[in-house]
Every structure is written in C-alpha cells, then in structure tokens.
Amino acid sequence: MVNTAGRPVVDISESEAAEGEGALPPVLWSRAGEQARRAVGAAGEQALLRLLRDGGVPHVRHVAAESDAYGYDIQAARSVSERAHIEVKSTTDPTRLVIHLTRHEYEVMATDERWCLAAVLVASDGRAMHVATVDRAWVHSSVPADRAGSGRWESARLEVPGHALAPGLYTGAWGLLADGVLPQRPVWHQDRSGQKGSGQR
C-alpha cells in the first residue's frame, strides 16, 4: 500500500523485510533514507554555491530555494553571454555516480542551451571533494522512451559511466570556474579497467 505521494504506508527497513521471510514485501524507501538523501543533495548545492562565489563568479542565485519550477538548482553568470543554469546531483559515494533525473529537469535540458548537469562528491563535513559535468548527449540517449500515449516516465535512475563525465564545471564552450578552483579527485571518471573516461562535454 502507498499513500497519495506514492510512498509506502508502512516504514520498514530492508533488513526487517528480509527477516519476514517473504511475509512482507521489500520496501526500498524509508523516511530516514529519504531525509539522508535530501541532506546530501542540499549539501552538494551549498558546496557548489560556495565554490562559485569563492571562485569569483559575480552573479550566483540559488533558485532551488525558491521553487522547483526552474528545472535546475543554480543560476550563475559572469556576463550577459556567459550564463549557466546548473542542475546539481550530489553523492557521498566515490566509487560510482547514480543520479535521479526528473522529467521536468530533462525537458528543461532539452530546450535550454545554458543548462548543465553538475555532479558533486560531498565530504562528511559538507565540502565538495570533486565536481564533474555530465555529458548532455549521454543523458539524452539514456533516459527511457515513452512507448505509448497513455503513459510516460516521470523520473529516471541513471548510473553515469566514466566516458560521460568531464572533471570540472562546463556549460557550452566555457568553464564556470578555473581548474585550480575546483577540487578534483580520481573518482567516477575511472572506468573498471583503470583508464580515465574520455570526459566528453
């Protein structure tokens, strides 16, 4: 059973479900887990806001604090011609990058050339340990396809491969911050053979 928000009515952990020997269906959502994910997401946004401001970007606005309607989290601009709309996806896992993209975020990406997807590795103290840009073409090729007029996807879980990541923060042909400003660690863009990803932009 789920409530009107689509969440399970009963809040049980995976271990509790396993102990039930099949009597209870496995529930992958819990209130604590959801709160933890939200905290990591907020920490990533705040860490990137600090980096942008400390890096000398003159106009930085946290639009996600105002509304979800924008389809991105941060507006940043150096000038009229150098502007960015940044969607931030945050994680504490340095071994792989899994993101959840909403249909609205994707549709904004498809029509907004200033939109970019920033992945932020968040440290336990809330600092950004690594920042990378996810390739838009890869995102476009990886979301599900609507197969019938009676149904459409609203959220997609994507595991981002190394070749779809570029260390740094880019939109279009320009970088928002100098490479020396952004922290970079050998995470995510290392594929399983140990070779760096191509960093396509």
Side-chain angles (χ1 to χ4, degrees):
M1 293 177 58
V2 297
N3 61 22
T4 56
R7 299 299 189 190
V9 173
V10 181
D11 186 13
I12 58 175
S13 68
E14 292 180 68
S15 60
E16 288 173 324
E19 290 170 5
E21 297 181 357
L24 293 173
V27 176
L28 300 181
W29 180 88
S30 70
R31 187 171 289 103
E34 181 70 15
Q35 290 172 343
R37 282 188 289 275
R38 288 182 181 276
V40 170
E45 290 175 21
Q46 291 299 323
L48 192 55
L49 284 164
R50 284 193 297 273
L51 284 172
L52 290 165
R53 289 168 177 151
D54 293 348
V57 177
H59 304 287
V60 179
R61 181 177 164 200
H62 190 200
V63 297
E66 303 167 18
S67 172
D68 291 332
Y70 290 92
Y72 52 87
D73 300 308
I74 298 170
Q75 286 181 358
R78 280 191 193 156
S79 66
V80 173
S81 62
E82 292 183 328
R83 306 174 73 83
H85 299 153
I86 309 165
E87 173 60 28
V88 183
K89 299 299 182 184
S90 311
T91 183
T92 57
D93 187 350
T95 63
R96 65 180 188 148
L97 178 60
V98 177
I99 66 173
H100 292 83
L101 189 73
T102 69
R103 179 68 173 244
H104 180 54
E105 291 163 353
Y106 170 73
E107 289 179 343
V108 172
M109 180 201 81
T111 59
D112 183 355
E113 63 182 16
R114 292 174 174 157
W115 191 96
C116 67
L117 180 53
V120 179
L121 177 65
V122 180
S124 58
D125 62 0
R127 290 179 302 110
M129 298 172 65
H130 185 78
V131 178
T133 303
V134 181
D135 181 42
R136 291 168 60 120
W138 178 85
V139 173
H140 180 69
S141 68
S142 301
V143 297
D146 294 333
R147 300 191 180 275
S150 58
R152 57 180 250 152
W153 68 272
E154 290 296 328
S155 179
R157 178 188 180 277
L158 305 174
E159 185 163 352
V160 186
H163 67 80
L165 289 164
L169 187 57
Y170 302 91
T171 180
W174 63 283
L176 278 79
L177 292 168
D179 289 341
V181 174
L182 287 168
Q184 293 186 7
R185 302 190 68 185
V187 295
W188 305 332
H189 59 285
Q190 295 277 341
D191 66 24
R192 291 183 182 174
S193 66
Q195 299 296 315
K196 283 188 178 181
S198 63
Q200 296 174 359
R201 292 179 194 160

